Amino acid sequence: MITPVLLCGGSGTRLWPLSRKSYPKQFAPLIGDKTLFQASAERLSGAGYGAPVVVTNSDFRFIVTEQLLGAAIDPGAILIEPEGRNTAPAVLAAAFHVAATEGPDALMLVAPSDHVVPDADAFRAAVDSGTEAAKSGQLVTFGITPTHPETGYGYLELEGKPKGIEVAALKSFVEKPDAEKAAELVADGRHLWNAGIFLFRAKDIIAAFEAHAPALLEPVREAYENAQADLGFLRLVPAAWSKADDISIDYAVMEKAANLSVVPFAAGWSDLGGWDAVWRESGPDGDGVATSGHATAIECHDTLLRSESDQLEVVGIGLDNIIAVAMPDAVLIADKSRAQDVKKAVAALKAKSAVQAESFPKDHRPWGWFESLVIGNRFQVKRIHVHPGAALSLQSHHHRSEHWIVVEGTAKVTVDEDVKLVSENQSVYIPLGAVHRMENPGKVPMVLIEVQTGTYLGEDDIIRYEDVYARS
């Protein structure tokens, strides 16, 4: 049996404004109806695969469980990183967990959770091809047959030209090249894109860290062995974790190890590392135009038009080689050749303290989500969506009162000692300082409009008394 390990902590700034620090691209349905994370989990499930181990951060822990359940996948272990330290510590922590729970000989398939692989069966066949090599002690990586010269990926140089999905010997790693060098590598026929996907036994990757990155062992082992159980999550110890080097698994181990093999894969893959990649994977029409449901292109060519809101219609006329992506709070317009420079926009917005740089319009919580509709000097209007059976914390506020109007479903509302059901078109007032809670006792989502008034409306004006999600 293979234990999938899904790495799920990236921020995906090159796909701003859809992907942001608070809600990155792996949780969005960029291609098709499923999110990238759900598609990744489904691809690494079924016969021969165990429950996934997910390594993520605290902010995403409930999103991860919600999306796994939404894909009908039973969540396995979810390791919570106190802070991002790159892929090497994350993989090592997962290896310690797999070795402890499944045994040191257990196979681990490590994969990012934000890749697109259209042919899941072909990918699983490639994994099968590498299994015997992994069982013999090899560290198996997967190389993607290039479809075009790409400067955004590192490359794997093989000893000879690949033969189907047969395991091949790795000669060297090649850093991200410039355009001229990338063209040479693709023409050579012996170079594959480095997908950052690996297959190995738990004991073999731990031994590789012992040999090539021993400084990581003690802090990561301490962070794992003293981890705290928190609901269904395992929180790695912050003090120990902070001592681990911030380094990728390629730099820490793979580029130094001698027991490396490569499985070539040519059945389609993308890491969606920019809007140009989204354009390619979206299936442009004969004019090279790709649109979403709320976008219209008129006499455009080689253009991507997307609207991520059913309240916004995006129309392009006579555009050539353009990316236009509209969100409720931000719009990106760029030449498609500059797709890799979108991260510069994020940096510029952060420099001017624009909230759109990192924060998503919808704020996702374990019970559902909310979004701000109107913000004034002393008031704010929100739409709040509560999942069936979910409940917000029992709380109070120092600086604001609230008025709730239920527009869908039924809410169970607590205000101090008073508990009652509030149905559609009914409302309830929450005075400043009152201890209150809302719950959804029904089988369908509950939606309400919240009007806040007061001197301070920040999310940190919350005193929690009880919380089923163990938030402090």
Side-chain angles (χ1 to χ4, degrees):
M1 185 180 72
I2 296 173
T3 298
V5 175
L6 289 170
L7 305 180
C8 192
S11 58
T13 56
R14 287 179 294 179
L15 289 184
W16 184 90
L18 183 142
S19 178
R20 308 186 197 181
K21 183 179 180 181
S22 68
Y23 200 74
K25 66 176 181 177
Q26 58 263 33
F27 301 123
L30 270 162
I31 305 295
D33 296 330
K34 295 174 183 173
T35 71
L36 300 180
F37 174 71
Q38 288 175 317
S40 297
E42 288 185 351
R43 187 164 59 249
L44 308 184
S45 64
Y49 292 85
V53 173
V54 179
V55 184
T56 188
N57 64 47
S58 185
D59 291 342
F60 303 152
R61 66 195 190 281
F62 293 109
I63 300 173
V64 163
T65 55
E66 179 184 330
Q67 293 207 352
L68 285 174
L69 293 173
I73 295 175
D74 186 24
I78 299 176
L79 307 185
I80 306 299
E81 296 179 288
E83 59 180 307
R85 307 301 290 169
N86 216 314
T87 54
V91 172
L92 182 55
F96 284 141
H97 180 77
V98 172
T101 56
E102 305 294 334
D105 289 315
L107 286 173
M108 301 168 51
L109 179 61
V110 178
S113 60
D114 57 358
H115 290 183
V116 172
V117 181
D119 193 336
D121 290 337
F123 180 77
R124 285 189 284 264
V127 173
D128 291 342
S129 178
T131 298
E132 288 305 315
K135 287 181 177 178
S136 71
Q138 290 287 296
L139 306 179
V140 178
T141 184
F142 293 81
I144 309 301
T145 303
T147 57
H148 59 277
E150 175 60 60
T151 61
Y153 304 145
Y155 286 71
L156 305 172
E157 182 184 7
L158 307 184
E159 294 286 356
K161 292 186 177 181
K163 300 176 181 178
I165 56 172
E166 293 182 12
V167 177
L170 176 65
K171 183 177 181 180
S172 69
F173 285 80
V174 180
E175 295 295 321
K176 295 178 182 179
D178 59 25
E180 182 179 352
K181 181 65 174 178
E184 293 176 4
L185 297 180
V186 172
D188 177 80
R190 295 184 300 110
H191 291 81
L192 307 175
W193 289 336
N194 183 1
I197 303 172
F198 307 99
L199 178 67
F200 36 62
R201 293 182 301 190
K203 69 180 183 183
D204 295 323
I205 190 60
I206 292 172
F209 275 98
E210 290 172 344
H212 306 296
L216 285 171
L217 288 170
E218 183 177 349
V220 175
R221 181 181 281 117
E222 181 182 349
Y224 171 72
E225 292 181 350
N226 295 293
Q228 300 293 314
D230 176 6
L231 298 178
F233 312 107
L234 198 61
R235 288 185 176 274
L236 303 172
V237 176
W241 189 256
S242 67
K243 298 175 184 176
D245 291 339
D246 185 334
I247 188 171
S248 73
I249 189 170
D250 279 349
Y251 285 137
V253 172
M254 296 300 173
E255 294 185 6
K256 303 171 185 176
N259 57 329
L260 286 170
S261 295
V262 181
V263 174
F265 184 71
W269 169 92
S270 175
D271 73 342
L272 292 186
W275 284 113
D276 53 340
V278 175
W279 169 77
R280 282 193 296 269
E281 295 299 322
S282 297
D285 63 18
D287 292 320
V289 174
T291 63
S292 70
H294 295 281
T296 301
I298 300 172
E299 298 176 6
C300 296
H301 297 86
D302 297 330
T303 288
L304 173 70
L305 298 178
R306 289 181 69 110
S307 171
E308 303 302 328
S309 170
D310 56 9
Q311 302 297 313
L312 286 172
E313 287 288 336
V314 173
V315 179
I317 302 176
L319 302 179
D320 189 12
N321 210 52
I322 292 296
I323 293 165
V325 181
M327 297 286 292
D329 64 337
V331 177
L332 168 71
I333 302 172
D335 190 281
K336 189 150 59 68
S337 66
R338 302 291 299 277
Q340 295 301 310
D341 290 333
V342 171
K343 57 187 177 182
K344 294 181 180 179
V346 178
L349 291 173
K350 288 174 68 175
K352 62 188 288 187
S353 300
V355 68
Q356 290 90 342
E358 296 185 330
S359 296
F360 204 70
K362 286 184 180 179
D363 196 326
H364 291 261
R365 299 299 171 93
W367 43 260
W369 52 265
F370 70 82
E371 61 180 338
S372 294
L373 303 178
V374 181
I375 300 176
N377 187 36
R378 289 176 55 90
F379 74 92
Q380 180 172 203
V381 181
K382 291 181 177 179
R383 176 167 56 177
I384 299 177
H385 176 112
V386 184
H387 298 318
L392 280 69
S393 61
L394 186 67
Q395 59 185 253
S396 66
H397 309 294
H398 284 307
H399 303 288
R400 70 175 184 254
S401 60
E402 296 172 341
H403 191 181
W404 296 342
I405 305 98
V406 177
V407 294
E408 291 183 27
T410 299
K412 180 182 178 182
V413 175
T414 299
V415 183
D416 291 329
E417 303 300 321
D418 185 26
V419 180
K420 62 181 179 181
L421 294 178
V422 182
S423 301
E424 288 183 14
N425 297 320
Q426 295 181 329
S427 63
V428 62
Y429 176 67
I430 316 296
L432 185 150
V435 176
H436 60 280
R437 165 183 278 161
M438 75 172 78
E439 305 171 57
N440 181 358
K443 303 294 185 183
V444 297
M446 184 268 289
V447 180
L448 59 80
I449 301 300
E450 177 183 80
V451 181
Q452 302 176 351
T453 56
T455 57
Y456 179 73
L457 306 174
E459 285 302 308
D460 54 348
D461 180 24
I462 295 177
I463 303 169
R464 287 195 175 99
Y465 303 97
E466 293 178 9
D467 185 48
V468 296
Y469 308 107
R471 294 169 296 172
S472 60

